[in-house]
Amino acid sequence: QLQLVESGGGSVQAGGSLRLSCAAPEYSYTINCMGWFRQAPGKEREGVAAINIGTSTTFYDDSVKGRFTISQGNAKNTVYLQMNSLKPEDTAIYYCAADPWSRCGGVRSLAPTNYWGQGTQVTVSS
């Protein structure tokens, strides 16, 4: 059973930083692709970043390039999203997603997956 557990998030002022974590501690196999989506009130869910676990190839939405970094953790099936220079428009619920079998080809590769975290709120005030 693949269950994703998220942590991190919270409230920060513009220009600040936060780090999100996502793990699948009970999944025995190595997941191929993991990433993050976000959904702001009244907007569609959008891909933010994704990483191929085997190759560490990363993908980013243009809106976060240069500010966010997705990386693998030392523990199996763990990824982090380091968010720097946060802006009020980054305010959203952030969801971790995973595809155990397919590699990522872009930030939206994970959109069809059935494996999602519970979501964590990120609020950036001006």
Side-chain angles (χ1 to χ4, degrees), residues 13-15 25-26 30 36-37 42-43 46-47 53 56 63-64 69 83 95 100 108-111 115-116 118 121:
Q13 289 191 327
E26 298 182 358
T30 300
W36 295 90
F37 283 67
K43 294 188 177 181
E46 62 178 2
I53 297 300
S56 296
S63 64
V64 305
T69 302
M83 304 184 293
Y95 297 91
R108 290 203 58 80
S109 292
L110 288 165
Y115 302 106
W116 295 87
Q118 76 279 9
Q121 178 71 47

Side-chain angles (χ1 to χ4, degrees), residues 84-109:
N84 298 329
S85 302
L86 282 161
K87 305 175 181 180
E89 50 264 42
D90 294 319
T91 296
I93 299 175
Y94 283 70
Y95 297 91
C96 179
D99 185 335
W101 307 287
S102 302
R103 290 186 176 182
C104 309
V107 291
R108 290 203 58 80
S109 292

Side-chain angles (χ1 to χ4, degrees), residues 32-37 46-53 55-62 64-65 70 97-99 102-113 116:
N32 271 299
C33 173
M34 296 183 74
W36 295 90
F37 283 67
E46 62 178 2
V48 175
I51 184 168
N52 280 315
I53 297 300
T55 65
S56 296
T57 305
T58 57
F59 304 89
Y60 296 96
D61 184 76
D62 286 345
V64 305
K65 278 181 183 176
I70 187 169
D99 185 335
S102 302
R103 290 186 176 182
C104 309
V107 291
R108 290 203 58 80
S109 292
L110 288 165
T113 187
W116 295 87

Side-chain angles (χ1 to χ4, degrees), residues 4 7 12 17 23 33 45 49 78 80 101 114 117:
L4 299 172
S7 61
V12 66
S17 298
C33 173
R45 189 174 296 190
T78 301
Y80 302 102
W101 307 287
N114 292 323

